[in-house]
Amino acid sequence: MKSTTRITATAALLAALLCPPVLADSIEYINTNTEKVLTAFKQYAVDGDDMLEDAAGVLVFPDIFRLGFGLGGQYGEGVLLVKGEPVAYYTNAGHNYGLDTKEHGFKSEVIVFRDIDALNTFRNKSSWKVGENGNVTLPVINSPSGVKLGAQSDSVVGFILSDKGLVADVTLNGNRYTRNLKKSVSVAP
C-alpha cells in the first residue's frame, strides 16, 4: 500500500513539473491583447481594416499555447466581437499546434464571419468544430505583408498570426471553439 502511494505521489510530482498548468486569462487580458492582435492583423492583411469593418463578427484568440510535446495540441482563450464590442468569450482547443515555437514566438487566430448567417450558425452552438460544424477558409498568403482573400462566397475566413506576420500552411481543421460560460456577456445572438 505504501509503495502505491509513493508511486502515485511521484507521478503527480512529475506531471506537475513536466506539464505547466493552463491558466485562465482574465477578461481584461483577453480584451487588451485582442486589440493588439487586430492592430497587427490590419498591418499584415491587405484591406484588413475594410474586412473587419464589414464583418458580421470577429473571433480573436490573442494567445494560443502549445500543449504536450512535438506537434501536440493547443489551447487558447478569446473573444467574439460584433460591431467591435465583446459579446461572448470562447476557448480554443485543437489537436495540432502547427507552428515551430523556435521559429515563431507566439500564435494568434483571427476568424472573420463575413455574413450574419455564418455568425448566427456559430453562435447558436455552444461548441463548434472546424470541419464538422462549419468550415473556415484560410486565404493564400502571397508574402508576409499581403494576403489574397478567399472568394467572396467564403463566409468564414481565418488567419493565423505569429511574431513574423501572417502564417501559411497551417490548418484550423479539428479546432473546437467552445463558449466560456464563466466569462459570459449578456448579449443575445
Side-chain angles (χ1 to χ4, degrees), residues 15-23 66-69:
L17 292 173
L18 295 175
C19 301
V22 175
L23 301 175
R66 177 184 296 234
L67 301 175
F69 300 101

Side-chain angles (χ1 to χ4, degrees), residues 64-66 71-74 95-99 101 106-107 170:
I64 299 175
F65 300 97
R66 177 184 296 234
L71 291 178
Q74 67 176 26
H95 64 280
N96 187 352
Y97 185 76
L99 291 182
T101 53
F106 67 88
K107 178 180 178 184
V170 178

Side-chain angles (χ1 to χ4, degrees), residues 44-105:
Y44 294 124
V46 175
D47 298 328
D49 283 323
D50 294 337
M51 184 189 315
L52 294 176
E53 190 173 309
D54 295 341
V58 180
L59 183 62
V60 181
F61 292 93
D63 295 313
I64 299 175
F65 300 97
R66 177 184 296 234
L67 301 175
F69 300 101
L71 291 178
Q74 67 176 26
Y75 177 83
E77 292 185 303
V79 61
L80 176 64
L81 304 171
V82 174
K83 297 181 183 174
E85 296 297 321
V87 296
Y89 292 85
Y90 287 81
T91 59
N92 172 345
H95 64 280
N96 187 352
Y97 185 76
L99 291 182
D100 181 352
T101 53
K102 292 176 186 169
E103 185 178 333
H104 299 276

Side-chain angles (χ1 to χ4, degrees), residues 32-179:
T32 298
N33 286 300
T34 291
E35 290 300 319
K36 292 176 184 177
V37 168
L38 291 177
T39 298
F41 172 75
K42 291 172 189 177
Q43 291 175 328
Y44 294 124
V46 175
D47 298 328
D49 283 323
D50 294 337
M51 184 189 315
L52 294 176
E53 190 173 309
D54 295 341
V58 180
L59 183 62
V60 181
F61 292 93
D63 295 313
I64 299 175
F65 300 97
R66 177 184 296 234
L67 301 175
F69 300 101
L71 291 178
Q74 67 176 26
Y75 177 83
E77 292 185 303
V79 61
L80 176 64
L81 304 171
V82 174
K83 297 181 183 174
E85 296 297 321
V87 296
Y89 292 85
Y90 287 81
T91 59
N92 172 345
H95 64 280
N96 187 352
Y97 185 76
L99 291 182
D100 181 352
T101 53
K102 292 176 186 169
E103 185 178 333
H104 299 276
F106 67 88
K107 178 180 178 184
S108 300
E109 289 180 14
V110 175
I111 299 173
V112 179
F113 296 91
R114 296 171 84 178
D115 65 58
I116 195 69
D117 291 336
L119 177 62
N120 287 338
T121 298
F122 175 79
R123 291 185 75 191
N124 287 330
K125 289 197 160 290
S126 61
S127 183
W128 193 83
K129 186 175 183 180
V130 178
E132 183 178 303
N133 300 116
N135 294 309
V136 178
T137 301
L138 294 172
V140 175
I141 298 175
N142 297 330
S143 71
S145 62
V147 170
K148 179 182 177 191
L149 296 178
Q152 290 298 320
S153 63
D154 295 337
S155 57
V156 185
V157 181
F159 300 88
I160 299 171
L161 290 86
S162 79
D163 57 329
K164 297 190 177 192
L166 293 168
V167 179
D169 300 326
V170 178
T171 183
L172 296 177
N173 280 344
N175 284 7
R176 181 172 297 281
Y177 305 109
T178 304
R179 193 173 313 121

